[in-house]
Amino acid sequence: MKSNIYRTMSQAFTGCAYLFLYVPLLLVFLYSFAQLGEGLSAGLTTQWYVDLLSSADIRQAFVTSIFLAGLSAISATILGMFLAYGLSAMRPRQRSTASYLIYLPIITPSIIFGIADMIFFNYINRYTGLLQAGLPTMILAHITFELPYVALLVYAKLRTIDPQLIDAIHDLYGNQGKVLRHLFLPVLSPTLLGGFLLVFTLSLDDLVISFFTAGPSSVTVPIYIYGAIAKKGVTPEINAIASILVVASIAIALAGTVMRKEVK
């Protein structure tokens, strides 16, 4: 009897959690089809999605966001793989310290991270003339906060590899390059793909770090949304942009799941 009660309570709690997570997203999607100032009662319209396609500013914001997310995610995935490999080769005491340093950017609040990046880039620009606020500084900042996620994912996968397999390659006169090419890369490819898609999504949705490191001409979609809400409040146009981001994130997650299954 008690087990049935606990099961019912658990299912009810799970249902409430899903409602809390997904009802706001559903409302954003529904109100992206609302008439301006009249809500859903006046009928549905696709006007706002048509307006998005005809707006040069919004198209440029999407291009900037995709370019930023793609380039930073590729760089973070490659660097994260080598960082994880170096971490796995360390002695236990060194690995403990290095792991803490890798975790630190993840647990640091985004606003602190963004301000620190802004101060650092301003300092470099003042004395060297390099790294003026704009797309290059945004890319570097995004690589910095994405790198720990990939490194920790890859390191966790590396720890599942039997060390005897590495010894067997060495016994067959294989060097570290062959270990990387014939053992690590085939085993790590699903994890690398998952890490890339994860940090791509994080970059695509990031506002705080992008806001502090952006220049006047490097406006991403989240920055555009923030500025539009500050000027006009939440409008059906903003709901349409947010809906596109949500659908894009879901599509990326589904694509990653399918590709990982094909790799396996």
Side-chain angles (χ1 to χ4, degrees), residues 61-256:
F62 271 103
V63 170
T64 302
S65 291
I66 294 173
F67 180 79
L68 170 63
L71 186 56
S72 62
I74 292 172
S75 302
T77 301
I78 296 173
L79 294 175
M81 179 185 66
F82 287 108
L83 178 58
Y85 181 70
L87 187 65
S88 65
M90 290 181 179
R91 296 178 179 177
R93 183 173 299 180
Q94 296 173 327
R95 187 184 304 131
S96 177
T97 303
S99 298
Y100 176 77
L101 294 176
I102 294 175
Y103 272 110
L104 193 59
I106 295 178
I107 63 177
T108 301
S110 296
I111 189 169
I112 303 300
F113 207 88
I115 292 173
D117 284 333
M118 180 186 65
I119 294 173
F120 173 74
F121 292 139
N122 285 341
Y123 181 85
I124 296 297
N125 181 257
R126 181 185 304 173
Y127 291 99
T128 66
L130 303 174
L131 297 182
Q132 184 176 1
L135 191 56
T137 56
M138 296 172 73
I139 292 172
L140 291 175
H142 277 229
I143 292 173
T144 305
F145 89 82
E146 294 168 11
L147 184 58
Y149 292 95
V150 178
L152 292 175
L153 285 174
V154 175
Y155 173 67
K157 185 64 177 179
L158 282 174
R159 296 200 63 180
T160 65
I161 297 177
D162 189 346
Q164 292 183 354
L165 294 176
I166 302 176
D167 294 337
I169 294 176
H170 289 159
D171 290 341
L172 295 172
Y173 304 101
N175 55 24
Q176 287 299 112
K178 290 186 177 181
V179 172
L180 179 64
R181 185 167 65 254
H182 297 292
L183 177 60
F184 287 165
L185 287 180
V187 173
L188 294 177
S189 51
T191 304
L192 292 173
L193 175 62
F196 168 79
L197 294 175
L198 170 64
V199 296
F200 182 89
T201 306
L202 291 175
S203 176
L204 196 65
D205 297 337
D206 176 72
L207 169 63
V208 177
I209 295 175
S210 297
F211 181 82
F212 283 104
T213 56
S217 60
S218 51
V219 177
T220 61
V221 174
I223 293 176
Y224 180 90
I225 293 175
Y226 176 79
I229 291 176
K231 293 178 182 177
K232 306 175 185 178
V234 179
T235 63
E237 179 189 56
I238 299 302
N239 290 328
I241 299 174
S243 298
I244 292 175
L245 286 179
V246 171
V247 171
S249 299
I250 294 174
I252 292 170
L254 291 176

